[in-house]
Amino acid sequence: MTAVQAPPAVDADPDAARAAIEHCYAQGWSDGLPLVPATRTLVDEFLATVDRAPDEVIGELPHLHRTVTVELAAINAAMAGCRPEYFPVVLAAWAAIQRDRSATGGGWQSTSGPSPLLVVNGPVRAELGINSAGGVFGPGFRANSTIPRALGLIVRNAFGVVPHGFEQATQGLPGRWQVCLGENEEESPWEPMSVEGGVPAGTSAVSAMLTRTVEYVDNRHTADPEQLLGDFADTISRSGALIFAHAPAGIVFCPEHAQLLAGAGMSRADVRAWLVERCGRTKADLARVGKDGVGGNGVRFADGTTEPDTFDQLFAAAGPEVLPIAVAGARNAGISMVVRVFSGWSASSVPVEGTTTARGSAA
């Protein structure tokens, strides 16, 4: 990335800045954190990065009679703290999450309070300074933090889904609008996730899905691929995550785990097939927690009449939609993340449109 000299510093009136921020709070636009006032000039800079009509409708919630346009997305991306050059990624992320069937239904209003997980592939990671290495689920990188926040503000301000209102999350999730990571393609032994999502390698693209939470798997104890995967199978098969007859999940492997598996000759598809076959619980296990029966609506309940040794398979199918797999993080420890997917990945990724110009460090 070629650094471009930052513009000269300008004098700012801190009292005026504070007043503008407080005005945003007073209008109810904020997610609880300070917003960047979206001036006409700033919003126009965002719109200039894409070849899209400002009034183009890019999403709707029919049951709430609400829609979102490109301009509304730009306004909320500006308020979220994005730089204008992030906007093509924001639009790709929004289009990708719209492919999740629950995002166009009642997903945003679910009692689970699901969180978008955004995975970015291709050259745009370096152009915008999107972190794909150490601390990838954490803070410290502007693009990783503000791109998902833009989606949250769109849902809040365009769709009107706010806590104690249309949003019905029982407890919600920590970091609900904070998970955007670059895939660590440089240390991954497999093709980019976006290739599995139908986008050619080397193309900037975003994959997205709604998730419930993430859980770590810390395994630095074995070099046996089946022992390692057995640890993931045990974590994925946790009974507390079983609500319906079947459930999706995902994995963000650290490079160390991914390379161990690939070194044993396993492709991403091989890893998925191994886990699909083995993830689940016996009826006896499920009976102990009152989830051994499945009703006509697909919801689990306490039954007690089935054979205790019968194995209930977690995954309903064997494709990437039930078990998306990405590689991210640093190669400094065997720590990966299991992702609780809300309703399943669309198994399709969205190319980033337009052009982005890196203007110095975006981190």
Side-chain angles (χ1 to χ4, degrees):
M1 178 174 66
T2 302
V4 177
Q5 187 174 1
V10 296
D11 292 332
D13 183 342
D15 291 330
R18 178 183 175 189
I21 291 170
E22 291 298 332
H23 174 75
C24 293
Y25 274 120
Q27 305 311 306
W29 298 332
S30 175
D31 52 9
L33 295 173
L35 299 176
V36 176
T39 64
R40 181 72 261 172
T41 299
L42 179 58
V43 172
D44 285 343
E45 287 183 37
F46 278 73
L47 294 174
T49 66
V50 295
D51 186 18
R52 308 282 288 272
D55 61 354
E56 178 188 346
V57 174
I58 57 173
E60 59 182 329
L61 283 185
H63 64 287
L64 295 182
H65 308 290
R66 304 289 176 88
T67 61
V68 58
T69 63
V70 170
E71 184 166 37
L72 280 174
I75 291 168
N76 284 283
M79 291 196 298
C82 290
R83 295 170 67 102
E85 56 264 36
Y86 300 177
F87 191 49
V89 179
V90 171
L91 288 184
W94 179 258
I97 204 66
Q98 290 293 293
R99 295 183 180 182
D100 186 316
R101 60 182 176 80
S102 59
T104 55
W108 300 125
Q109 299 170 261
S110 169
T111 51
S112 301
S115 167
L117 167 64
L118 311 177
V119 180
V120 183
N121 284 106
V124 75
R125 295 169 304 135
E127 292 173 3
L128 300 184
I130 296 174
N131 183 29
S132 62
V136 75
F137 275 93
F141 295 84
R142 183 173 177 177
N144 296 66
S145 297
T146 59
I147 289 170
R149 189 189 185 200
L151 269 58
L153 292 179
I154 290 170
V155 171
R156 178 185 182 90
N157 294 319
F159 287 163
V161 178
V162 299
H164 304 181
F166 284 131
E167 182 191 304
Q168 296 294 304
T170 303
Q171 292 182 316
L173 300 178
R176 184 179 185 188
W177 304 106
Q178 295 177 15
V179 186
C180 173
L181 53 90
E183 186 164 32
N184 190 342
E185 298 177 19
E186 291 71 25
E187 295 188 277
S188 172
W190 301 315
E191 64 187 10
M193 182 181 181
S194 55
V195 172
E196 195 166 46
V199 177
T203 302
S204 294
V206 183
S207 307
M209 65 207 75
L210 288 180
T211 64
R212 293 178 182 273
T213 189
V214 297
E215 304 157 56
Y216 70 90
V217 174
D218 188 335
N219 193 315
R220 321 175 205 195
H221 315 89
T222 181
D224 184 309
E226 294 210 350
Q227 289 180 346
L228 175 62
L229 287 177
D231 216 3
F232 281 92
D234 182 71
T235 302
I236 290 171
S237 301
R238 180 177 68 86
S239 65
L242 305 182
I243 303 167
F244 303 102
H246 302 286
I251 299 175
V252 179
F253 281 117
C254 67
E256 184 171 314
H257 283 162
Q259 290 171 14
L260 187 157
L261 295 168
M266 300 186 77
S267 66
R268 182 189 267 111
D270 293 333
V271 170
R272 181 180 294 116
W274 195 100
L275 290 167
V276 165
E277 182 181 346
R278 292 166 177 82
C279 286
R281 301 296 287 268
T282 66
K283 287 292 187 182
D285 290 336
L286 294 169
R288 281 191 285 270
V289 296
K291 293 183 176 181
D292 53 317
V294 178
N297 59 356
V299 178
R300 291 188 174 274
F301 68 96
D303 184 4
T305 64
T306 52
E307 291 294 327
D309 293 335
T310 303
F311 185 71
D312 251 22
Q313 202 166 24
L314 177 72
F315 296 110
E321 67 279 0
V322 300
L323 186 55
I325 294 174
V327 179
R331 196 184 185 281
N332 61 358
I335 304 174
S336 296
M337 288 288 190
V338 166
V339 180
R340 296 291 171 186
V341 179
F342 185 68
S343 62
W345 178 37
S346 66
S348 63
S349 304
V350 176
V352 177
E353 299 178 13
T355 60
T356 57
T357 303
R359 301 172 185 174
S361 174

